């Protein structure tokens, strides 16, 4: 699939690296203006020592790899595309349908996607996941800023 300059193809190595960089950078000052300071202070505290791996997949596409984001001491340090076996070793495995991913990139709110199970926690400790839910939501918002090209719809 050909992509435009500056746009990465969905679930490719280039896309994974760009996602990692966006997630690690976190929300910018303009995004932080949309919530009260105590919200961001909570996220900063949750992020400070966070260590885990988040794996993301496409539920209805078994042939596609999984995005694996590695967190270490509050930094998203590596993004890569892995197979299902490696994804299932992550602390959290989160999936959405291909259409769900398209809707997220079109502006569907990540928090709502979790609430209504568009983003589904398939594996991992539910309590642990919800302890850092807002860190996850804001990280998803950063992920969704990466210019992404989808293959043509079937």
């Amino acid at each position: 699939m050909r992509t435009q300059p500056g746009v990465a193809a969905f679930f490719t190595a280039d896309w994974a690296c760009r996602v990692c960089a966006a997630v690690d950078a976190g929300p910018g000052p303009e995004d932080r203006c949309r919530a009260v300071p105590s919200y961001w202070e909570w996220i900063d505290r949750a992020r400070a020592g966070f260590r885990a791996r988040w794996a993301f997949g496409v539920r209805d596409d078994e042939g596609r790899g999984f995005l694996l984001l590695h967190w270490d001491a509050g930094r998203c340090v590596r993004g890569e595309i892995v197979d299902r076996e490696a994804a299932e070793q992550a602390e959290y495995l989160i999936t959405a349908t291909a259409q769900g991913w398209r809707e997220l990139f079109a502006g569907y709110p990540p928090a709502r996607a979790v609430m209504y199970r568009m983003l589904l926690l398939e594996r991992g400790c539910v309590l642990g996941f919800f302890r850092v839910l807002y860190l996850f939501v804001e990280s998803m918002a950063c992920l969704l800023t990466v210019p992404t090209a989808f293959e043509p719809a079937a």
Side-chain angles (χ1 to χ4, degrees), residues 8 29 34 39 41 47-48 50 57 99 104 113 123 125 129 136 153:
R34 67 180 157 75
Y39 174 78
E41 291 164 6
R47 183 178 175 144
F50 189 67
Q99 181 59 34
L104 283 159
R123 296 180 58 88
C125 173
F129 180 75
F136 173 79

Side-chain angles (χ1 to χ4, degrees), residues 1-3 7-16 18-19 56-61 64-67 81 94-105 119 140 143-144 146-152:
M1 169 180 42
R2 295 186 147 222
T3 59
V7 177
F10 188 56
F11 275 77
T12 61
D14 179 39
W15 182 78
R18 292 178 191 209
V19 164
F56 295 91
V58 181
R59 256 195 311 279
D60 50 355
D61 186 352
R64 190 184 308 270
F66 291 77
L67 169 65
I81 302 299
I94 303 111
T95 61
T97 63
Q99 181 59 34
W101 280 106
R102 284 186 175 86
E103 289 176 26
L104 283 159
F105 275 95
L119 282 170
M140 277 298 299
L143 179 156
L144 297 170
V146 174
T148 301
F150 294 90
E151 62 277 359

Side-chain angles (χ1 to χ4, degrees), residues 31-132:
D31 294 315
R32 287 182 170 255
C33 288
R34 67 180 157 75
V36 297
S38 59
Y39 174 78
W40 297 109
E41 291 164 6
W42 184 94
I43 289 173
D44 291 342
R45 281 191 309 274
R47 183 178 175 144
F50 189 67
R51 278 190 170 80
R53 290 165 300 160
W54 290 340
F56 295 91
V58 181
R59 256 195 311 279
D60 50 355
D61 186 352
E62 290 298 319
R64 190 184 308 270
F66 291 77
L67 169 65
L68 185 61
L69 294 179
H70 299 258
W71 286 84
D72 187 23
R75 304 267 332 264
C76 188
V77 295
R78 189 169 78 225
E80 60 185 328
I81 302 299
V82 300
D83 62 16
R84 176 168 274 284
E85 184 178 343
E88 288 181 348
Q89 299 305 310
E91 285 77 6
Y92 303 102
L93 172 58
I94 303 111
T95 61
T97 63
Q99 181 59 34
W101 280 106
R102 284 186 175 86
E103 289 176 26
L104 283 159
F105 275 95
Y108 195 90
R112 191 174 297 158
V114 171
M115 181 185 304
Y116 294 115
R117 298 175 56 89
M118 176 189 285
L119 282 170
L120 183 63
L121 179 64
E122 286 192 17
R123 296 180 58 88
C125 173
V126 174
L127 179 58
F129 180 75
F130 279 94
R131 278 189 166 148
V132 295

